[in-house]
Amino acid sequence: MAQRLTGTQIDALRQQLRARFDQLRDEIHAELVQSDQEHYQDLAGQVHDPGDESVADLLVDIGLADIDRHIAEIRDIEAALARMHMGTYGACSDCGDAIALARLQAHPTAKRCRRCQIAYEGQQGAHHRPEL
């Protein structure tokens, strides 16, 4: 069983979360500015056949997917910072055991211990398996 985090460890993880938050915010801003500059109409206006138009659509979709992933990660960071504020950070949301420091250092937004995360992913995978 992992030990509870010290104040120094939580402070270091908080700093890591805030740095990543700032990085994501900057990346989203840059992607939106770039997207504005390379607006779909500009891309589509340069295409000459349906295949080129599909590529333009794909480029726009990829940019939006990147932004969606960044926003989801920002939400995870905000949730982790809220858990820090409430004093529940580092405790598994499923079993209540301490999450290992090494896991939090690698994935500071983790809300489950390794054992519960594996079980969660197994349950999620079982619900999303295609049937014949």
Side-chain angles (χ1 to χ4, degrees):
M1 181 161 125
Q3 294 183 352
R4 297 284 178 193
L5 299 170
T6 66
T8 303
Q9 291 168 331
I10 290 175
D11 288 342
L13 290 162
R14 181 181 292 116
Q15 185 177 9
Q16 183 179 351
L17 285 165
R18 288 185 176 152
R20 179 64 178 151
F21 180 93
D22 291 343
Q23 179 185 12
L24 287 168
R25 187 188 58 217
D26 292 345
E27 287 178 17
I28 289 170
H29 177 74
E31 288 170 11
L32 288 173
V33 167
Q34 181 181 358
S35 174
D36 196 33
Q37 292 171 352
E38 297 175 354
H39 193 267
Y40 171 77
Q41 292 175 352
D42 294 336
L43 289 170
Q46 297 172 8
V47 300
H48 303 289
D49 64 41
D52 289 341
E53 188 173 333
S54 294
V55 170
D57 287 339
L58 178 63
L59 292 173
V60 170
D61 290 346
I62 288 171
L64 294 175
D66 286 343
I67 291 171
D68 284 346
R69 276 192 304 279
H70 291 337
I71 290 171
E73 189 176 348
I74 282 176
R75 287 184 180 136
D76 288 344
I77 290 169
E78 289 173 336
L81 291 170
R83 289 192 303 275
M84 284 178 177
H85 181 73
M86 294 183 303
T88 59
Y89 181 79
C92 177
S93 63
D94 291 356
C95 71
D97 286 347
I99 300 171
L101 176 60
R103 176 166 169 69
L104 290 169
Q105 287 171 329
H107 186 63
T109 59
K111 59 183 177 181
R112 291 181 187 86
C113 66
R114 183 177 181 277
R115 181 176 40 88
C116 289
Q117 185 64 36
I118 290 169
Y120 174 80
E121 289 172 3
Q123 292 169 354
Q124 295 302 309
H127 294 292
H128 294 100
R129 290 196 180 130
E131 295 181 17
L132 296 176

